[in-house]
Amino acid sequence: MKKFVCLLVCFSSALWAQRPEKLNAADIYQGLQKLSKTTTVLYVAAHPDDENTRLISYFANAKHYRTAYLSLTRGDGGQNLIGSQLRDQLGMIRTQELLEARKIDGGEQYFTRANDFGFSKNPTETLAKWNEQDVLADMVWIIRKLQPEIIINRFDHRTPGTTHGHHTASAQLSLKAFDLAADPTAFPEQLQYVSVWQAKQLFFNTSWWFYGSQEKFAAADKSNLTEIDLGTFLPLEGKSVQEIAALSRSCHKSQGFGSSGSRGSEKEYLEFIKGDKAFQTNDWNGISVRDIILKICNDLIAQFDFKNPSASLPKLLDLRSRFKALPESAFRTNKLQELDKLILASCGFYIEVVTNSARMSPGTSFQATLEAINRSDAKVVLNSIAVESQLFKKLDFELKPNSDFKEKLDLRLEKDLPYTTPYYINAQKTDGMFFVGNQLERGLPEKNPQLVVKVNLTIDNQIFDIETPVVYKTTDDVKGEIFQPLLVSPLLDVAFAQTSLLVKAGKKQRIELAVTPSSAVAETTVRLQAPDNWKVTPAFVKLTDLKAGQKQVVSFEIIPEKSLETVMLQVLLGDNNETALHRTALEFDHIYHQQLIEPAHCKLVVTDIAISAKKIGYIAGAGDEVAEYLKQLATEVVILDPKKITKETLVPFDAIITGIRAYNVNKDLVGIHQLLMEFVQSGKTLLVQYNTLDDLVLKDFTPYPLTIGRDRVTEEDAAVSFIDPQAKVLYKPNKLTQNDFLNWKQERGLYFPSKWDEKYQTVLSMADTGETQKTSGLLIAPYGKGHYIYCGISFFRQLPEGVAGAYKLLANLLSVSK
C-alpha cells in the first residue's frame, strides 16, 4: 500500500503558514468551485522570479485548477537588493518570497535539490555542476506526487546558449521527467510512496520575446500554439488576473520586482510540445461516483449562501464521506484536504497555539495558550489535545457557538529536538547540489515546524484531526498583531566578528568572539580550535553567570605559522568540547523570520597585503559587505552618506568606492556626481563597482564614454592573463601573479562594458570556455591628476570568502593614485 497518509502531512502547506488562515465567504465559494475540478497544472522553471505569475493566477483563480510552481533552485546564486545576504542566506530569503507569492496567486511551491551556483551560459555547464540524475529524480517525484495533467515549461529546451544555462536545463530535464514519471523502472525507490504518473500534455510558455520581436511573432505560424486570454476580471477578488499576478510578483523584493497590475485583454501562448493533443481537462480520471460528486459540488456552488456559509455544511460533510470511501490516491488525499479546509472555514472555526517567546533552546519548558472557537450553529466537539504523539488532555468539550475556548498548555521542547534551520543546508551540500536524505522531504519549501499541537474534533459525527504549530505572537504598537515561527535555537550563540580574516604569519592577531545565551547559563568554557603549531592565548576562557540575551565578548591572541595558507577556526564549548554554533537571523517585514544555524567559524587567510590608500570612503549600493571586509587592510574605511557629502568632506580621503549597483539604486549619486569627478581630478581614485544597464539613475556617470554590457565570466577558474604586465596596478604595492586568481568563488565578474573610450586602459583578459577573451572587466582611466576605475570584478563575492588575490588586486587599485 502506498503511504498516501505521509503525503497528507508533507503536502499540508497550512503548517508552513504561521498566521492562522481566516477564510471569508468569497474564499469559501472559490474553494467550492475548485472542489469540482480535477485538473492539476505544474509550471516548471529554474529560479525564484522565473515563474509566470499571470498564468499561475489564471489557472488557480479563473480556472480553479490545482496549480503549482516547481523552481529547480532557490535562487542562491543571485544578488540581493534588500541586504547584504548572499548564497545560502539569499536562498532562504527567496524561498520565503516564493511562499508569500503563492499565498497571493493561489499556487503551491516546490523545489529540487539543485543549488543555484550562479550564472551559467549553457545547459552543458549547468548539468556539469548539478547532479543531473538527482535533479531529474526530484522532478519525477514532484510529478508523481502532484499528478499534473498539464506541465508547462517557462523556457525553450531547443535553444541552448541563448539564455541562462539553468533556464534551458530546466526545460530539457522537464521533457525527460514527463516520460520518466510514467516509467516504473525509473527511480523505483519512490514507488513505495507514490504511483507512476503520465501527464497528458507538455507545453512551452512562449511569447514574442522568444521570437526576437513582436513583429516576428505576429508573422509567425501559430497553428501549434494555444492562445489564452488572461484578461479575466474576478468579481469576488475585485481584481483582474493580472492585478493578482502583479501583487504576487511584487513579493520578490530581494530582486526588485515590484510590479503594477494591468487590466483588460492580454494574451499568453502555450506551444504544444508532446503528449495527447486532444486531452480534455476535468475528466475525473474515471472516478466511479463522478456523477454523484459533481452533482453535490454543483449544488454547493448554486446554493451557497454568502451570508451563512455554514448552511453548506451538510452537503460538504456528505461529500467528505464519499471521498473517504474512494480508494487511497493522491487525488483523494488532496480533495479531502480541500474539503477539511472548507468545512472548518464554513464553521467559522479558528484555532491558534501561541507563546510569548520567539526563541527557545531544546530542553526548555514553557507555557502556551490554545484558543479555539466555533462561530456557527454546527455541533463542534473538541475531543482531545495532543502534543506530538503524546495525549495531552482528553476533553469531550462542545464548542458552543461563538464562545471562545482557551486552554493553558505546559509544554517542553525535547532535548534532542533539531534546531530551526533549513533542512537542505548541511555539511554534505556542494556548489551544485543540496543533500536531502529523506525522500519524503525532497521538494518541500521547508520542513514542518518542530512543535505541533494536534487537536481532535468531531463535527456532526465526523472526526477531524487538525495540526497547529506553536507560534510566537506579539502585538506591536505600530504593526499590530504579529505572528512569527517559534525558533528552536542553540542555548549559546557564538559569533566571530567576521567570517574571514587576513592574518600575518608570526604576528599576533586578536580574535574576538561574542557569546550570547538564549537563557541563563551558570558557567561554560570557550576554546579556540586552532592548528597544533599555532600559539593561542589564553588556552580557554571561563564564563560564569551568563544572563539571557546578554552578550559576552571573549578575546584570544593567536600567532599564525607560515606552514598553512588557510585555516578554518572553530570554537569548542564546555567540558565536553562541543562545537559552538552560530545563529544568523534573517528578519524582514515581508517574510516570516528565519534563522540559519551552522558551526561558528572564521576562515583565517595567512598573507601580507600592503595598501597605500590610508583613508577610503564607501558609498553603499544594492547591498554588499566589501566595506566591512576592506577594514582588514591597514586602512581606515568610512561609510559615506551621499546626502552629506561636500567638497570639504571628501578632502581627507585617498579613494572612494561605490557599492554594487550604486548607480541603479542610489539616486543621491546624481547630486554629487560633479564632486566625485572633481575628487578624481584633484589626484584621488574613484572605483565604481558593477552596475546593470537598466534603470541607471545617471546616464553619464563616467568621465569618458562607456556603455555597460551583459558580458560576464562565470567560470571562477577561468584563466586570467595580464594585458600589460608592466601596468602599475599589477605590481604596486603588491605584485600579482597567476596564483592570485586561484580559488575564486562563483565567478570572475559580471556586466562588463561592451564599449569604452580609448582613454580607458584594459588590464586583465579572461574568458569562459569556448568564448572570446573579455578585456573590459577592469578599466582604468587617468582623469586629471587621479584615476577613475570601472570594475566588473566580483569583489563582493570574493572578499567575504577570504580570497587573498582579490584583496591584493583591490588594494592595488585603491593605491593607484598614490
Side-chain angles (χ1 to χ4, degrees), residues 509-527:
Q509 176 71 48
R510 183 182 177 89
I511 303 291
E512 284 194 351
L513 308 171
V515 181
T516 309
S518 58
S519 58
V521 175
E523 68 174 49
T524 190
T525 55
V526 182
R527 293 177 175 82

Side-chain angles (χ1 to χ4, degrees), residues 122-136:
N122 58 71
T124 302
E125 179 193 1
T126 296
L127 297 176
K129 288 211 171 186
W130 289 351
N131 184 318
E132 180 175 349
Q133 285 302 106
D134 283 350
V135 178
L136 198 53

